[in-house]
Amino acid sequence: MNVLLSKFTTKHNTAPFSQIKIEDYVPAFQEGIALAKAEIDAIVNNPEAPTFENTVVAMDFSGDILDRLSSVFFNLNSAETSDEMQKIAQEVSPLLSEFGNDITLNAALFVKIKAVYDQKENLNLNPEQTTLLDKKYKSFSRNGANLPEDKKDQLREIDKELSKLSLQFGENVLAETNAFELHLTNESDLAGLPEGTIEAARSLAKSQEKEGWIFTLDHPSYVPFMTYADNRELRKKLAIAFGAKAFQNNEFDNQEIVLKIVKLRFERANLLGYKTHAHFVLEERMAENPEKVFSFSNDLLAKAKPAAKKEFAQLTAFAKELDGIEQLEKWDGAYYSEKLKQQLFNLDDEKLKPYFQLEKVLNGAFTIAGKLYGLTFTEIFDIDKYHEEVMTYEVTNDKNELVSIFYADFFPRKGKRNGAWMTSFKHQYRKDGVNERPHISNVCNFTKPTETKPSLLTFNEVTTLFHEFGHGLHGMLADTTYPSLSGTSVYWDFVELPSQIMENWCYEPEALALFANHYETGEIIPMEYVNKIKESASFQEGLATLRQLSFGLLDMAWHGQDPTAITDLKTFETEQFKDTQLYPDVKENAMSTAFSHIFQGGYSSGYYSYKWAEVLDADAFEYFQEKGIFNKEVATKFKDNVLSKGGTEHPMILYKRFRGQEPKPEALLKRAGLI
């Protein structure tokens, strides 16, 4: 019996990880696709006239076994992969891509959907039903349903190829991340590094039965090294290795893959009648078109660039005065920024870390969610997990009803990709009178506990935890009828609002008092530190904004124009960075070959969303500040109109219902100290 093919009979229907065998996956995908196809065939062959229920709703609930299986497999392929898992991913991704095309290119199914769509004015649908119908109709019309047969075949080939290429891209980045280590045996090379970082490097060396200390390209190792190591040559070595991922003309090189991906995306968009991939993508975003994204980005750039230049000049002068550095390089940025920040604010991440023990920060996030939304998080030990480090929680509301299952997976491992993300193992939806609750996961890469210390977070890691937890709340509090509109299934430039707004609580004394206690003495974080955190919040905000905009503009450059003439990735990239570049270029490095957000994740033509959502989050948090950061009335409005509503209505309608007005960019510019 293949456990992946039946309804899970575990507590709360959680995934039975320990019962899944690696050899179960491929047959499960084959059978899952066959079952889903049979459900689609039943809709197509239904002799009754097509209705909203028997066609649109039936389609939305079809393929649930396949969806669940895909969630389990692809989540594990990101958080706990192996060579075998990667091989399976390469095998099943084209099958899934083919199946997706079988649906969107199914002419008979489209006829039925169109018949319902054409009479939508007379169907008396509520807003959620209207959105579902629009979304289903567009999923056909935007993906080739109106194409002639030969073009449909072309589309299938492109999609199959793209699914393989993006997988290969991610595998190459992971392989390159794992392949590099900086092995130090001379203690003087550790000068400047915090004790915790040294201890982590020593225990990594020990685990490999080596002397000395090992540093890697994983963020908890890489970031402190770049921030604190006094040895400039070693910083350079590590920075160049980090920037050279999948750009080394070896078996893991992504240059050709990137060029193939952007050209195939462009070809696909043209095939569907769109000018570029960005035109195709942005039609279903708040921003609507590339012109609006460019205008939004360039407007912010005009405001941020003068500030960034000033900050860069200040940093350059500081490095020269301190160490006689004539030319600031990329491997100097974090190091001298940290020193300058310490001088200006007397604020050092190492001073703060003892107040940010991981468990306490997590409990702080739970407490804040309790105050705002009436949630309680209880750790449970009787459901399966995919790795012993994962923690599992039952989330309940003030009526003691189950809201969600929550998985928390916080430390780097060989089989886990870099970065931090939220995902789900099961969607929320309503069916047969039951409100099926979601299973949500946060995956991060924080500093591990050592023999002498618990996991202590940098302030940046604290905001990362809150950010992903905000995405988590968006998933947990989902309360919609249809699975495809639930939780984070929203316009991509709206999806970062729930995550980014949560970061604001990390800067509020009232919130910090709930979790920022010294791990040894229990002392609450001193008020002077809190004030300094607030004061320094806009430190080098011009540089940070410029950096973020440079990524978004690179994304738009790849996807917002015809890429067919691009032959050299590095040359193209250098040209795109001209308006946002302050540091000298590093010839051995490229950004795009490891830009996983746009070539492996779902952010192609969407990286601008982070900045777009910052406008929303600054404006939304201003409302909390006006009424009180734990104000129940504002929190309830946010929960009822944003967090629980998923993609049931246009985001601007939901936002205005919460805020009473459209967002104004002034709140962001003010918070960033740019006006």
Side-chain angles (χ1 to χ4, degrees), residues 187-317:
E187 196 158 355
S188 64
D189 288 337
L190 306 172
L193 288 173
E195 191 191 320
T197 303
I198 293 171
E199 197 176 342
R202 188 188 297 118
S203 60
L204 183 57
K206 219 180 197 174
S207 72
Q208 296 185 20
E209 296 177 351
K210 290 178 181 165
E211 286 301 308
W213 304 266
I214 288 177
F215 297 90
T216 69
L217 301 180
D218 286 322
H219 285 157
S221 179
Y222 176 76
V223 174
F225 198 93
M226 297 310 296
T227 309
Y228 296 104
D230 292 337
N231 188 321
R232 193 181 187 210
E233 276 309 304
L234 289 176
R235 288 202 313 270
K236 177 180 178 178
K237 187 176 180 179
L238 202 62
I240 288 179
F242 191 87
K245 281 183 294 194
F247 182 63
Q248 304 191 68
N249 294 311
N250 60 9
E251 59 181 310
F252 302 121
D253 194 279
N254 273 338
Q255 292 176 79
E256 279 309 305
I257 288 178
V258 167
L259 294 177
K260 275 184 192 161
I261 288 175
V262 294
K263 287 169 187 179
L264 284 169
R265 283 172 175 170
F266 177 71
E267 191 187 333
R268 186 182 195 279
N270 286 177
L271 199 58
L272 294 167
Y274 293 87
K275 192 173 163 189
T276 67
H277 178 68
H279 285 85
F280 170 76
V281 168
L282 292 166
E283 187 180 67
E284 292 289 277
R285 299 282 193 267
M286 288 178 86
E288 297 167 346
N289 56 55
E291 294 70 33
K292 215 180 254 190
V293 173
F294 279 118
S295 137
F296 167 76
S297 304
N298 289 325
D299 189 38
L300 265 182
L301 183 60
K303 294 186 172 77
K305 199 170 178 178
K309 281 180 157 172
K310 211 158 99 190
E311 290 162 5
F312 190 72
Q314 180 191 30
L315 195 61
T316 303

Side-chain angles (χ1 to χ4, degrees), residues 333-626:
Y335 179 77
Y336 287 105
S337 288
E338 183 61 28
K339 292 228 175 317
L340 179 59
K341 188 162 127 190
Q342 285 177 33
Q343 191 188 76
L344 293 175
F345 305 101
N346 189 20
L347 184 71
D348 173 3
D349 245 335
E350 287 306 303
K351 262 191 211 158
L352 296 177
K353 275 171 77 171
Y355 295 95
F356 295 128
Q357 185 180 337
L358 171 60
E359 293 75 5
K360 290 180 179 169
V361 176
L362 183 62
N363 283 327
F366 292 165
T367 305
I368 289 166
K371 282 177 168 291
L372 293 170
Y373 310 118
L375 300 177
T376 302
F377 291 74
T378 309
E379 189 167 6
I380 52 172
F381 302 92
D382 55 354
I383 65 171
D384 252 359
K385 29 180 139 179
Y386 56 85
H387 190 279
E388 62 193 11
E389 287 173 352
V390 177
M391 295 178 288
T392 48
Y393 298 85
E394 260 175 11
V395 188
T396 50
N397 61 17
D398 40 23
K399 298 192 188 93
N400 210 23
E401 298 160 330
L402 182 75
V403 170
S404 175
I405 296 297
F406 178 56
Y407 298 85
D409 178 1
F410 287 135
F411 303 119
R413 294 186 291 274
K414 204 168 164 39
K416 187 199 270 195
R417 68 175 165 89
N418 241 330
W421 62 95
M422 166 267 180
T423 184
S424 75
F425 284 102
K426 175 178 179 277
H427 284 309
Q428 177 273 335
Y429 55 87
R430 281 199 181 87
K431 195 177 183 188
D432 303 330
V434 178
N435 189 339
E436 291 281 350
R437 298 314 302 164
H439 300 171
I440 302 300
S441 176
N442 276 175
V443 189
C444 302
N445 281 278
F446 296 145
T447 310
K448 278 187 161 180
T450 63
E451 286 168 20
T452 61
K453 283 192 180 72
S455 172
L456 301 174
L457 305 185
T458 63
F459 187 69
N460 192 30
E461 289 178 319
V462 174
T463 57
T464 298
L465 186 147
F466 270 71
H467 178 102
E468 297 309 331
F469 186 65
H471 281 309
L473 290 172
H474 200 186
M476 292 178 226
L477 290 166
D479 194 15
T480 64
T481 304
Y482 307 111
S484 72
L485 301 179
S486 178
T488 55
S489 303
V490 299
Y491 278 8
W492 211 273
D493 41 12
F494 192 59
V495 81
E496 293 299 332
L497 166 61
S499 54
Q500 288 179 190
I501 196 171
M502 274 309 285
E503 294 181 36
N504 289 284
W505 274 268
C506 302
Y507 296 91
E508 297 293 322
E510 211 183 326
L512 284 166
L514 299 171
F515 63 86
N517 307 77
H518 196 285
Y519 80 101
E520 286 173 315
T521 65
E523 172 207 12
I524 285 190
I525 191 166
M527 220 35 231
E528 63 167 307
Y529 287 3
V530 175
N531 292 334
K532 282 172 181 168
I533 288 173
K534 275 190 93 78
E535 263 176 54
S536 65
S538 58
F539 172 65
Q540 293 191 341
E541 191 58 45
L543 282 169
T545 302
L546 197 68
R547 179 173 179 269
Q548 197 75 332
L549 288 170
S550 75
F551 297 168
L553 288 164
L554 176 64
D555 170 29
M556 290 306 290
W558 279 121
H559 296 112
Q561 59 186 6
D562 177 352
T564 47
I566 304 168
T567 52
D568 185 75
L569 177 142
K570 176 70 177 177
T571 308
F572 176 76
E573 205 178 82
T574 308
E575 181 61 27
Q576 302 317 313
F577 283 144
K578 259 197 347 232
D579 289 343
T580 53
Q581 186 179 339
L582 294 173
Y583 289 95
D585 180 55
V586 181
K587 68 174 190 313
E588 302 93 329
N589 287 182
M591 161 96 194
S592 302
T593 53
F595 199 171
S596 300
H597 272 78
I598 67 170
F599 294 118
Q600 185 192 8
Y603 278 84
S604 64
S605 306
Y607 201 87
Y608 74 91
S609 306
Y610 284 104
K611 274 289 161 212
W612 185 276
E614 268 188 62
V615 170
L616 298 173
D617 104 66
D619 184 73
F621 192 65
E622 205 168 57
Y623 191 19
F624 274 99
Q625 286 173 309
E626 285 161 16

